[in-house]
Amino acid sequence: QVQFVESGGGLVQPGGSLRLSCAASGSIFSRNVMGWYRQAPGKQRELVATVTSGGSTDYADSVKGRFTIDRDNAANTVNLKMNSLKPEKQAVYYCCIYTGKAYWGQGTQVAVSS
């Protein structure tokens, strides 16, 4: 019912930046929450940042001041600008939208390494 196109993942050096983008389509209520979660190998999926259709944001403490999330409601697109990236071993970042229930994208891989 909801489809995602995620982009922007890749390999970056520590201290560098990446911009993740996700466009959702399908049966989406006008009021919703979109965001990004990450999952490292062997660990549970965890919140990175979310933004509501009203513009309210929520960030994990670990990324506050370094990451910025924003969205385009008309396009159901959410972006995550990640600055000052810390070393991270091939974590998968998942786009999510809550619109009655949670829907998840396929994930995009992010690695921060020298």
Side-chain angles (χ1 to χ4, degrees), residues 7 15 18 35 38 59-60 81 98 100 113-114:
S7 62
L18 282 175
R38 69 179 295 276
Y59 296 91
K81 180 63 186 301
Y98 182 83
S113 176
S114 298

Side-chain angles (χ1 to χ4, degrees), residues 54-73:
S56 297
T57 58
D58 188 31
Y59 296 91
D61 288 342
S62 61
V63 307
K64 288 180 179 178
R66 299 187 297 117
F67 291 11
T68 302
I69 191 167
D70 61 65
R71 63 180 292 163
D72 181 336
N73 289 344

